[in-house]
Amino acid sequence: MNDILTREEIIAPENIVYERTCLLTDCALSYCPGCGHGTAHRLIMETIEEMNIQSETIGVAPVGCSVLAYEFMDIDMQQAAHGRAPAVATGIKRLYPNKFVFTYQGDGDLAAIGTGETLHTCNRGENIAIFFVNNGIYGMTGGQMAPTTLPGMKTATSPFGRDTASMGYPLKITELVAQLPGTFYVTRQSVHTPANVRKTKKAIEKAFEYQKLNRGLCFVEIVSNCNSGWKMTPQESNDWMEANMFPTYPLGDIKLPKL
Amino acid sequence: MAKVKGEIVVNTERCKGCELCVPVCKEKTIAMSSGLNSKGYHFATTVNEDCNGCTNCGLVCPDGAITVYRVKVA
């Protein structure tokens, strides 16, 4: 039969099963090779494309590696001062309650500099979604220790490893905000394997769907790698993340909504 | 006998050579090229015709450089 399909016959527009979403601009992503940020960006944009809400969505970009997210995401975006993305998103959502509003933040932005904004926005139960990319390090500024850095983890500012006696313990901010009555859906996912990518996409879809209900804040943490900050190859950093990050930051839903 | 036949197209200029797509390909279709793109990265390329269009490589590619095609073979 027609077993001998040539490459040219297969590569036809009607046979596409996976392609880059049109809501990402043609700009080359500014991230290091193998960084989870690119996958996280793509999943958010794919979800917005599939829900067909690109004209109703406003994103807030943080400070950090993903500071240029507004260059890559082809929707309405606002860039906020360091850590203040949830506060800016609160203002946008209160002015435009029918829009879908999300923030995209790293761990230095959300868990260190913006801890106050994050906790109070979650506590007020603003109807926004927060996408939190946690790689346990300040990636953009050169790999300094963040509140989410693991005990004993070597960074630029803890060259002998994080000493919990003087530097404290990793801040599990996702578990923290799950305690607050203002949050509606809190989950932790990762994007290092195809199965985890699919789960993360489902979580992002839920975060946008639940925004229609106006019942509270949806918080999606994405545990990610920082191969250049951790001084590893992309694959090594993913393996290291599985072995070391996941025991401290276990994947799964932390707070499921009571519908 | 394979029921589906797949094919991938790598945007070689977008590929940053992170090699994350290589271990997730169960058919061992993807390898890194010996050539370089204009940014100096060894980009991903196909080395056999066993691709079944499972989209694993496309899902993990941080830069969205891979387009996956799939057809049913009768």
Side-chain angles (χ1 to χ4, degrees), chain A residues 7 17-18 29 31 42, chain B residues 7 16 59 61 68 70-71:
Chain A
R7 184 175 157 84
V17 284
Y18 195 85
L29 295 175
Y31 307 116
R42 205 184 64 233
Chain B
E7 201 58 71
K16 289 179 184 163
L59 285 174
C61 177
V68 186
R70 182 167 60 210
V71 286

Side-chain angles (χ1 to χ4, degrees), chain A residues 61-109:
Chain A
V63 171
C65 287
S66 44
V67 63
L68 293 173
Y70 54 81
E71 293 272 324
F72 312 132
M73 298 181 173
D74 203 2
I75 54 168
D76 290 335
M77 294 287 287
Q78 168 67 48
Q79 208 275 322
H82 207 168
R84 277 57 176 163
V88 173
T90 300
I92 294 172
K93 184 74 180 181
R94 288 188 176 197
L95 270 174
Y96 299 107
N98 296 325
K99 302 271 185 192
F100 293 88
V101 180
F102 72 89
T103 72
Y104 182 98
Q105 299 177 266
D107 54 327
D109 187 82

Side-chain angles (χ1 to χ4, degrees), chain A residues 173-245:
Chain A
I173 195 145
T174 309
E175 273 86 351
L176 211 60
V177 301
Q179 308 295 319
L180 302 172
T183 51
F184 188 59
Y185 172 59
V186 181
T187 185
R188 181 184 283 123
Q189 304 293 341
S190 79
V191 289
H192 68 300
T193 66
N196 287 99
V197 169
R198 289 191 176 95
K199 281 185 196 164
T200 308
K201 190 166 172 199
K202 287 217 172 72
I204 294 172
E205 280 170 8
K206 281 185 196 165
F208 279 111
E209 285 289 340
Y210 291 153
Q211 241 184 85
K212 293 179 190 164
L213 304 176
N214 279 352
R215 295 271 297 274
L217 190 140
C218 295
F219 193 99
V220 181
E221 173 177 349
I222 299 168
V223 183
S224 175
N225 59 348
C226 178
N227 37 293
S228 51
W230 298 350
K231 321 277 184 228
M232 296 173 194
T233 68
Q235 191 55 46
E236 278 169 14
S237 69
N238 279 345
D239 297 340
W240 190 90
M241 178 172 75
E242 267 189 34
N244 298 285
M245 293 280 277

Side-chain angles (χ1 to χ4, degrees), chain A residues 72-168:
Chain A
F72 312 132
M73 298 181 173
D74 203 2
I75 54 168
D76 290 335
M77 294 287 287
Q78 168 67 48
Q79 208 275 322
H82 207 168
R84 277 57 176 163
V88 173
T90 300
I92 294 172
K93 184 74 180 181
R94 288 188 176 197
L95 270 174
Y96 299 107
N98 296 325
K99 302 271 185 192
F100 293 88
V101 180
F102 72 89
T103 72
Y104 182 98
Q105 299 177 266
D107 54 327
D109 187 82
L110 183 140
I113 297 161
T115 318
E117 280 77 4
T118 306
L119 286 181
H120 285 294
T121 305
C122 293
N123 197 31
R124 289 195 304 268
E126 303 292 343
N127 293 305
I128 60 169
I130 293 182
F131 300 117
F132 166 40
V133 179
N134 178 6
N135 54 19
I137 209 169
Y138 278 89
M140 183 183 74
T141 48
Q144 288 85 1
M145 189 178 74
T148 45
T149 298
L150 303 176
M153 185 173 164
K154 287 182 183 171
T155 67
T157 46
S158 60
F160 305 107
R162 181 175 185 163
D163 171 21
T164 51
S166 61
M167 302 165 193

